[in-house]
Amino acid sequence: MSRKLKGIAAARGVAIAPIVHFHATLDHIPTWRVAEDAVAGEKARLSVAIAGVTTSLLDLQRELAGSLGNQDVRIYDAQVAILHDQTFRRDVETEIEQRHVNLEVALQRVVARYEQVFAAMENPAMRERAADLRDIGRQLVGALMATEQQKYTANGRDYLFAADEFLPSDAGILDRAHIRGIVTAHGGKYSHGAILARSLGIPSVVGIEAVMLQSTTGAMAIVDGDAGIVILDPSPAELADYEQRWREQRAIDRRIAEVRFQPSVTPDGVSVQLLANVEGVRDLDSLEVDAIAGIGLVRTEFAFMERRQFPTENEQVAMYRRAMDGAGGKPVTFRTLDVGGDKPLGYFKMPEERNPVLGWRGIRLCLDWPDILYTQMRAILRASALGHARVLLPMISTRSEVVRCREVLDQLSADLKATGVPFDPQIELGVMVEVPVLVPVLSDVLPVADFVSVGTNDLVQYLLAVDRDNQRVAKMYDPFHPGVLRVLKQIADAAAVAGKSASICGEIAGDHWFTPILVGLGYRELSMAPVFVPRVKLMLRSFTVTECQDLATRAAAMQSTSAVRKLVQEEIQPRWVRQLAASEDGRR
Ligand code: PEP
Ligand code: MG
């Protein structure tokens, strides 16, 4: 019987394929069936993982020996003992042999079984062992995953990725040729996982709490990323209906794609620059430079997050040069490291925080650890010799933070000059507007900045006091709130008065329903995931600036978000439909 589950539409499009679970109990683990002749191979992987984890535990123990008491150092002895416990090992091997599951799943099951036994014990010391065991399980799975990249596959077949969450690090290990859709129990439309899914063009629905319980690996499902619906075990009629929709969607996408190399101008001749947001080298490989005016946001933290340790200055120079090459001489805006909050760095220990999103993140962290900032800025400066680079500072909330960063940039420039290392002395320094308090003080900040870029993903989260990753309040996270529109207008006006450029690099820049409003509010630079460029360009070519200004003024003056959405529905959507039909006629 088919079941329809409602979630949050995170990335548009329809996908039809079997679901595959990537379990999250011991982080995200891949699942596959192990044939009889592959059992020995799985056991060998276990030996390698045990050896690897033993070495790192002993290294850690040695490292901490000076700072921990003898008793505490022995915790690692206990962990090594569990790791080499013959019963534990036999149980894991038996799971592989008898149930034909891969090692990660076998570990997960055995750890869960042991955990239950320990947790039920009277003796608190014994109950503690459950935590040790879980930790060992995690470390083993961690070691396996690190050595086994490209793991989120379904034996070479098409699949829908299902898990508790889709994390930024997951994006790197999907089987890109066969992933058709994503469905998760947690997350919101503006989580980084959802942003990545959109930029990869993978239809996604997030925030369906029951999805892992209600679905099984291998069962057919439909992901409707437009309506935010997942249909498990669809009926033949539903399948036929969605297959038809999938074909129609492809035809429309092809039509929209045709405008991508046309100029991005309104019908009354005002040009609006469309730029690309890139997360990593992967995005650069597929970038169509002729369709964009440059790269408006490099989220440099993603390259840091994919590594095991901080990249050196030379490694960073190579990364940034690669981006400059990819942009083919057009401007590239490098945002300095924006970790913390929902973007942890595995190898940089951050304190547990009650409210990490309000905590030690972005520029706050980098100013406290100036080495990180120096190295990164020096690397960007060195790469700037290749063309037009810009530096963008995340999570700025005071003028003095910008001043301090400018001093660092000036100092580094002077050092490079003194040692004859080439760089662009005109390099611009910009500020992300994402902390609301920056808006009323923009007239103080703009004189020390060369440009601003509005990070609406965070700005909206902070303005509305709605966590962008929390599905329970996802309905309240609506950038069409008239209050948000008024704040966006204030920013555009302040930048115009100061004679500085203002762009938008949050997700709304790539939402074509927003395009006429943003243009009407005064924005002439929009930076988005490259997949959205053709849609936004087609929309841009449908409304004159005068019409955009009229729409924006009316929208910002409205008294409710639903009134703004009604305006979009009644005045923007019909024009879009006509524009699509016109481009269809043009083809005939
Ligand atoms: C934003 O906050 O809008 C933004 C572009 O940055 P991120 O999504 O990486 O936080
Ligand atoms: Mg942000």
Side-chain angles (χ1 to χ4, degrees), residues 192 297 299 335 343 432 434 455-458 468 505-506:
H192 283 104
L297 173 67
R299 287 183 162 99
R335 182 172 69 182
K343 289 180 279 191
M432 293 276 293
E434 49 189 347
T456 49
N457 303 339
D458 279 314
R468 68 195 251 194
C505 63

Side-chain angles (χ1 to χ4, degrees), residues 192 195 276-279 295-302 333-339 342-343 361-364 377 390-399 401-402 405 428-442 445-446 448-462 468 477 487-488 491 495 501-509 523 525 527-528:
H192 283 104
I195 293 175
N277 287 356
V278 305
E279 260 88 57
I295 298 179
L297 173 67
V298 181
R299 287 183 162 99
T300 58
E301 59 276 8
F302 283 89
T333 303
F334 295 99
R335 182 172 69 182
T336 58
L337 195 66
D338 187 21
V339 287
D342 55 343
K343 289 180 279 191
R361 54 174 300 198
I363 204 67
R364 304 168 181 184
M377 278 197 178
R390 311 202 296 176
V391 179
L392 180 60
L393 307 170
M395 291 299 294
I396 290 288
S397 52
T398 65
R399 182 184 197 272
E401 287 166 340
V402 189
C405 291
E428 292 160 273
L429 181 69
V431 169
M432 293 276 293
V433 183
E434 49 189 347
V435 179
V437 78
L438 207 63
V439 181
V441 299
L442 270 177
V445 174
L446 280 160
V448 291
D450 297 311
F451 65 96
V452 292
S453 189
V454 190
T456 49
N457 303 339
D458 279 314
L459 182 65
V460 172
Q461 143 166 284
Y462 296 132
R468 68 195 251 194
Y477 186 108
V487 170
L488 291 178
I491 301 169
S501 78
S503 63
I504 299 211
C505 63
E507 286 298 284
I508 63 170
Y523 291 92
E525 270 183 45
S527 191
M528 64 203 77

Side-chain angles (χ1 to χ4, degrees), residues 5 19 21 162-163 183-185 208-216 230 232:
L5 306 179
I19 261 188
H21 282 186
V183 49
T184 67
I208 302 184
E209 273 189 32
V211 75
M212 298 298 280
L213 287 176
Q214 298 215 6
S215 64
T216 44
V230 171
L232 302 176

